[in-house]
């Protein structure tokens, strides 16, 4: 069995720490958005400037709210059957961003945590 050098071990530990930091950061963003969705009312006084429905990349809507333009990512299903009355947009005052209600779902976090767990297994094997 090949012995592991300190340099290889340190690189595996750094990858592990980086994946954990990314997973925690994404979780904090998700939690912040869920807090806003539960405590705030959807914005009403906005105008839709542009609708960009794409097949492979993410779809987006350009809206004007409080005199500023915001690019809001939305799911392709909602973009194709676009109805502004059915889509709920929320405004994040701290970050000055507008996002759509379904933009904060747990399934976007799962791959990050799986990668982190795989890196933990990798770290235990390398040691």
């Amino acid at each position: 069995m090949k012995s592991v050098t300190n340099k290889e071990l340190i690189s595996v530990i750094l990858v592990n720490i980086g994946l954990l930091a990314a997973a925690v950061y994404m979780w904090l963003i998700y939690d912040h958005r869920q807090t806003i969705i539960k405590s705030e009312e959807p914005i009403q006084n906005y105008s839709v400037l542009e609708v960009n429905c794409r097949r492979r990349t993410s779809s987006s809507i350009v809206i004007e709210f409080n005199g500023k333009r915001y690019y809001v990512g939305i799911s392709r299903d909602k973009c194709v059957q676009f109805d502004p009355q059915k889509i709920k947009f929320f405004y994040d005052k701290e970050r000055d961003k507008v996002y759509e209600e379904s933009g904060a779902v747990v399934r976007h976090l799962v791959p990050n945590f799986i990668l982190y767990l795989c890196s933990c297994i990798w770290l235990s094997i390398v040691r």
Side-chain angles (χ1 to χ4, degrees), residues 8-22 115-116 119-120 122:
E8 291 172 335
L9 184 62
I10 290 172
S11 64
V12 171
I13 290 171
L14 289 177
V15 167
N16 191 289
I17 290 170
L19 287 171
L20 177 62
L115 277 174
Y116 171 69
S119 71
C120 287
W122 183 30

Side-chain angles (χ1 to χ4, degrees), residues 66-109:
N66 287 343
K68 288 181 72 178
R69 294 178 125 200
Y70 294 96
Y71 290 86
V72 183
I74 60 168
S75 66
R76 181 157 165 38
D77 298 340
K78 290 184 180 181
C79 187
V80 171
Q81 301 170 356
F82 181 70
D83 183 6
Q85 305 302 323
K86 293 183 180 179
I87 298 177
K88 295 180 183 178
F89 294 110
F90 292 89
Y91 179 65
D92 183 354
K93 295 173 190 156
E94 292 177 23
R95 295 186 173 111
D96 190 31
K97 290 191 174 196
V98 174
Y99 56 90
E100 196 260 327
E101 181 179 25
S102 68
V105 289
V106 174
R107 70 183 169 145
H108 295 134
L109 299 173

Side-chain angles (χ1 to χ4, degrees), residues 6-45:
N6 284 340
K7 187 176 181 179
E8 291 172 335
L9 184 62
I10 290 172
S11 64
V12 171
I13 290 171
L14 289 177
V15 167
N16 191 289
I17 290 170
L19 287 171
L20 177 62
V24 168
Y25 177 72
M26 287 181 70
W27 176 259
L28 291 174
I29 289 174
Y30 167 78
D31 188 51
H32 180 73
R33 286 185 176 186
Q34 287 300 320
T35 302
I36 290 174
I37 288 172
K38 290 177 184 172
S39 64
E40 302 285 329
E41 291 292 320
I43 61 173
Q44 300 295 326
N45 53 344

